[in-house]
Amino acid sequence: MAGSADNWKTQIRKGYLELCILMLIRRHKKLYGFDLLEKLAMVGLDVKEGTLYPLLNRMSVDEFLSATWETENIKGHPRKFYALTKEGAKFLDEMRDEFDGMIGIFHQLRAKGALS
Amino acid sequence: MNTDPRIERYLSVLESRLKAFSVGDRAEIVTEIKSHVLTALERDPQANLDHVLAALGEPETVANRYLLERGLKPGKPPISPVVKWLVIGFLGTVAMVLLFAVFLLMKFSPMVNSIANQEGLEVLNELFDGESEESGVGRFALKGILSAGRFNGDLELSEQRAINVKFTNAKIETVKSEDDTFAWECDGVGAGAPESEVRGGVAELNLLRMIGAKCMLAIPKGAKLSLDGTNAKIDLDKPLFNVHARVGNGKVEITPEDGVDYKYELKIGRRKKMDFTSSEKPDAYLLHIELNNGRITRGR
């Protein structure tokens, strides 16, 4: 039973995390991994580094994100900045609409006492 | 700028676990992770490198997450030292057992030893019992479970002159006995030797405990031979005796003696076999053979 609940949480969190990542990148135009981790933590989403980077990698392969290497100063090391592609922006809109719909249903049900 | 060897080690393991990716992809992933570690140390100079690497997770686990995200098969998780030593211990034990087995074989060698003066065999230094019988024909037994070899014997016929042979699977050949003795010589493997006795005036030979018995039966003139079994190949070579055979499946070959009369009662299933010329003379030998399935042929 506990295993099922954990699995459900993992699944829903994964989709939710993708949505949050795309929203944060849209707001800041471009972000690199470490920055993204900090910003997610600031809104209460603690994500492990070992989870975030593979996710960013996959979203780049899916062409929702574009990546560029930039070095802030001569002594600094290169950082991989992620920005939203056109596809990513479209996907984000779809995700947001879907999520809004789900939240609406959830609130409706809750108001009717289906959930205590 | 020199990088800490711990970072290099971590990145090296990570890179080695990403073989399913292209060289370019691997390099990009490794550079990004390295960038993350350096940024973490840069933002917090008090940060402990080991903690930063631990927060990332084991390089094998991180590599597997990359593989899973891309729909690729993840590699095996790293083996913990405890499991590693358990496996080594197990393999070591197996090796010791094998060495012991080789030692035993060497100690008991030669595996098969012929003992000429006792007309027997020693196998694995008498682990198996080889013995000789009075008849001079060798018998070989394995702890009383399985016997193999040649078995022979004979029985004097009573006035009834009846012989009853029972078997499961057998190849039986009959020859004429020179005297009034029913004799046999059988080869085969089984849970026991053939059993023989005279019961109610009938000489009985029981081959039921043998598998694939191959027997030569010497039958006295005028005897009544009864054969009862499941599967058989029977050769009746110039019989000068009566036969009553009832066999499930098999092949019977009859080679009549020249100038001797026979009365044939041959049946395969429900069908009577009529191509043998039967004699109605009272002194004709009766050959009554019933097969459920099989063939009855004439020998040359």
Side-chain angles (χ1 to χ4, degrees), chain A residues 14 32-35 37-38 48-51 53-58 61 67 69 77-80 82, chain B residues 1 21 25 27-29 31-36 38-40 42-43 52 55-56 62 65-66 69-70:
Chain A
K14 200 176 170 205
Y32 60 94
F34 197 93
D35 248 1
L37 275 171
E38 281 188 336
K48 289 194 172 170
E49 300 88 314
T51 301
Y53 287 105
L55 195 56
L56 290 171
N57 181 269
R58 204 254 301 144
V61 172
W69 285 96
H77 49 268
R79 285 177 178 144
K80 194 176 183 179
Y82 293 93
Chain B
M1 186 174 123
F21 287 26
D25 278 354
E28 190 123 331
I29 290 167
T31 311
E32 186 173 28
I33 296 295
K34 184 177 178 180
S35 169
H36 168 86
L38 296 177
T39 305
E42 189 182 273
R43 293 278 178 95
V52 173
L56 269 166
V62 176
R65 288 210 178 113
Y66 273 100
E69 280 293 343
R70 298 275 286 266

Side-chain angles (χ1 to χ4, degrees), chain B residues 38 53 60 72 144 259 270 282:
Chain B
L38 296 177
L53 292 176
E60 295 91 346
L72 298 167
R270 290 182 178 179

Side-chain angles (χ1 to χ4, degrees), chain B residues 176 237-240 255-262 298-300:
Chain B
K176 287 175 278 188
D237 186 31
K238 298 176 181 174
L240 296 177
T255 309
E257 174 76 291
D258 291 338
V260 174
D261 294 311
Y262 295 97
R298 184 189 297 273
R300 292 177 183 175

Side-chain angles (χ1 to χ4, degrees), chain B residues 22-159:
Chain B
S22 69
V23 178
D25 278 354
R26 286 207 299 267
E28 190 123 331
I29 290 167
V30 168
T31 311
E32 186 173 28
I33 296 295
K34 184 177 178 180
S35 169
H36 168 86
V37 175
L38 296 177
T39 305
L41 295 172
E42 189 182 273
R43 293 278 178 95
D44 180 9
Q46 304 300 315
N48 182 314
L49 174 60
D50 291 329
H51 290 168
V52 173
L53 292 176
L56 269 166
E58 290 290 327
E60 295 91 346
T61 312
V62 176
N64 281 350
R65 288 210 178 113
Y66 273 100
L67 292 162
L68 282 169
E69 280 293 343
R70 298 275 286 266
L72 298 167
K73 196 180 165 191
K76 287 179 184 168
I79 301 169
S80 79
V82 175
V83 175
K84 207 181 281 177
W85 280 110
L86 279 174
V87 170
I88 290 169
F90 174 74
L91 292 176
T93 309
V94 170
M96 292 284 283
V97 170
L98 284 175
L99 273 173
F100 185 63
V102 169
F103 166 76
L104 282 180
L105 280 175
M106 287 174 71
K107 183 173 167 53
F108 286 133
S109 66
M111 292 175 76
V112 178
N113 188 26
S114 170
I115 317 162
N117 58 344
Q118 292 174 35
E119 295 178 7
L121 281 178
E122 268 185 14
V123 179
L124 286 178
N125 204 12
E126 296 176 336
L127 187 62
F128 301 102
D129 172 29
E131 65 182 58
S132 156
E133 291 197 340
E134 284 179 7
S135 62
V137 181
R139 181 169 179 270
F140 186 75
L142 168 60
K143 301 282 182 196
I145 299 168
L146 196 67
S147 298
R150 178 164 289 182
F151 307 89
N152 60 8
D154 55 61
L155 288 171
E156 283 291 325
L157 289 195
S158 68
E159 282 182 7

